[in-house]
């Protein structure tokens, strides 16, 4: 008796609109960035000059470092409103700590800003307080501490004792500033951590369905503490880099920067509800925002405040599109 012949039936073609929606959400910022850059390059002769592109990359790197930490926080389902004030505090502490040399200028802002992030994480993870309220409180605390250190902003600390520290902000390699290379290295590490480690998978699970993650035995509380601590550290590091670039701790920077950080993360495709996002999308979100602002400056006839109007309208459009794509996916 012969064995029955197995007939392989062809697998039906899958027409999944959700996969298209996911692709558009993840890569939409990159597509728009390329289009805007091509138009700007053709319309404004000064846009494509090496000097302008170098300044654009350098300016983007400071925001990008902050946005990397914000990406992890938002993927976890949280929000961090304190990064703008922590960024400014980090710059002042770096300038103040420079009197003890390179390590004083670098370690002091990292220690204090990391501690603020740790407090955020502990309050959110251990007490169940809303991230919005917790980080709003630390926003006020960090700004108040900054003003206390600088005598209500009347004292500006100069970086004069550490030439090595100044190289972090002002040094160049092949015509590109060191902060750009540092930001790229941090994003490369962040991408690996997010996609190739158990911590990254726990982060996605926490943001996607926290109650399910708890039932699965995942370390949800430790993950939240880690991402808020990371956000504080990166905001402090960005502040220290800015202080090295400006050669002083400027007290008026960072106002509203937390909104820019949230905007570029969302523009890059990370869902505000948590559970989905990429660091590469955040990179394109930062670049897109900075290119739009640069184009407005190239026009010259528009008021600088118009940048905020354009950024707000663009963010609103992105959130609406994300909402539509999420419905398509489900």
């Amino acid at each position: 008796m012969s064995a029955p012949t197995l007939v392989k039936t062809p697998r039906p073609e899958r027409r999944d609109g959700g996969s298209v929606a996911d692709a558009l959400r993840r890569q939409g910022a990159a597509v728009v960035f390329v289009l805007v850059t091509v138009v700007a390059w053709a319309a404004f002769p000064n846009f494509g000059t090496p000097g302008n592109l170098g300044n654009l990359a350098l300016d983007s790197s400071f925001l990008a470092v902050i946005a990397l930490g914000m990406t992890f926080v938002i993927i976890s389902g949280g929000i961090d409103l304190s990064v703008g004030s922590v960024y400014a505090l980090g710059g002042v502490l770096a300038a103040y700590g420079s009197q003890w040399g390179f390590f004083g200028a670098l370690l002091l802002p990292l220690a204090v800003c990391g501690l603020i992030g740790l407090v955020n994480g502990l309050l959110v993870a251990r007490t169940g307080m809303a991230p919005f309220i917790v980080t709003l409180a630390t926003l006020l605390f960090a700004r108040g501490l900054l003003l206390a250190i600088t005598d209500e902003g009347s004292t500006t600390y100069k970086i004069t004792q550490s030439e090595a520290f100044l190289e972090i902000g002002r040094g160049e390699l092949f015509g590109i500033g060191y902060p750009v290379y540092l930001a790229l290295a941090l994003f490369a590490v962040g991408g690996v951590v997010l996609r190739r480690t158990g911590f990254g998978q726990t982060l996605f699970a926490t943001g996607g369905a926290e109650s399910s993650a708890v039932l699965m035995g995942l370390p949800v509380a430790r993950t939240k503490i880690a991402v808020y601590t990371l956000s504080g550290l990166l905001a402090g590091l960005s502040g220290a880099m800015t202080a090295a670039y400006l050669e002083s701790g400027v007290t008026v920077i960072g106002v509203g920067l937390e909104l820019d950080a949230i905007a570029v993360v969302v523009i890059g495709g990370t869902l505000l509800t948590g559970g989905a996002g990429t660091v590469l999308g955040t990179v394109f979100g930062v670049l897109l925002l900075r290119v739009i602002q640069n184009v407005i400056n190239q026009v010259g006839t528009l008021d600088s405040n118009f940048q905020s109007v354009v950024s707000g309208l663009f963010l609103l459009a992105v959130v609406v599109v994300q909402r539509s794509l999420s419905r398509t996916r489900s």
Side-chain angles (χ1 to χ4, degrees):
M1 183 175 179
S2 60
T5 303
L6 298 178
V7 179
K8 181 181 290 186
T9 58
R11 180 177 296 176
E13 182 180 355
R14 181 180 179 183
R15 302 183 181 276
D16 189 357
S19 60
V20 176
D22 285 345
L24 288 174
R25 177 177 54 77
R26 291 193 304 267
Q27 308 300 333
V31 174
V32 177
F33 166 72
V34 172
L35 293 175
V36 172
T37 301
V38 170
V39 172
W41 205 304
F44 303 101
N46 293 329
F47 179 83
T49 60
N52 185 64
L53 294 178
N55 290 333
L56 185 63
L58 182 63
D59 187 41
S60 300
S61 62
F62 302 116
L63 176 60
V65 173
I66 299 173
L68 176 60
M70 186 68 75
T71 302
F72 278 74
V73 171
I74 293 180
I75 290 176
S76 73
I79 201 77
D80 190 353
L81 299 179
S82 67
V83 291
S85 294
V86 172
Y87 162 76
L89 176 63
V92 170
L93 290 174
Y96 180 79
S98 65
Q99 59 185 307
W100 297 294
F102 176 86
F103 291 104
L106 184 61
L107 296 181
L108 181 60
L110 291 181
V112 175
C113 296
L115 180 60
I116 293 175
L118 176 62
V119 171
N120 283 337
L122 288 172
L123 291 175
V124 171
R126 299 301 186 187
T127 68
M129 296 176 63
F132 182 91
I133 300 300
V134 171
T135 57
L136 179 61
T138 50
L139 177 156
L140 300 174
F141 170 81
R143 186 65 63 174
L145 180 59
L146 179 154
L147 293 175
I149 294 173
T150 60
D151 298 324
E152 299 296 327
S154 61
T155 302
T156 300
Y157 295 100
K158 301 289 185 180
I159 300 177
T160 57
Q161 304 297 323
S162 179
E163 293 294 331
F165 180 71
L166 291 177
E167 283 295 305
I168 294 179
R170 306 190 67 85
E172 291 185 355
L173 181 63
F174 305 118
I176 300 176
Y178 286 167
V180 178
Y181 294 106
L182 181 57
L184 290 175
L186 290 172
F187 269 86
V189 174
V192 172
V193 169
L194 194 60
R195 292 294 178 181
R196 302 297 181 184
T197 66
F199 173 81
Q201 300 308 308
T202 302
L203 185 63
F204 282 112
T206 300
E210 182 177 340
S211 57
S212 299
V214 172
L215 292 175
M216 292 169 61
L218 297 177
V220 172
R222 289 205 306 268
T223 300
K224 288 185 176 183
I225 294 171
V227 295
Y228 281 99
T229 304
L230 177 64
S231 181
L233 283 171
L234 291 177
L237 175 61
S238 182
M241 291 163 53
T242 303
Y245 177 72
L246 299 175
E247 300 186 18
S248 63
V250 181
T251 60
V252 295
I253 61 174
V255 177
L257 188 63
E258 61 277 355
L259 302 181
D260 285 343
I262 295 170
V264 298
V265 172
V266 175
I267 290 171
T270 300
L271 294 180
L272 273 173
T273 52
T278 64
V279 296
L280 182 60
T282 298
V283 172
F284 284 112
V286 173
L287 292 175
L288 179 57
L289 181 65
R290 289 309 191 211
V291 166
I292 290 174
Q293 294 174 344
N294 189 269
V295 168
I296 293 174
N297 291 332
Q298 295 281 340
V299 173
T301 58
L302 298 175
D303 188 90
S304 59
N305 292 325
F306 195 71
Q307 294 180 0
S308 299
V309 176
V310 173
S311 301
L313 291 175
F314 194 80
L315 176 61
L316 180 61
V318 169
V319 172
V320 171
V321 171
Q322 278 194 358
R323 182 69 174 175
S324 301
L325 294 178
S326 298
R327 290 177 177 176
T328 302
R329 182 185 182 191
S330 57

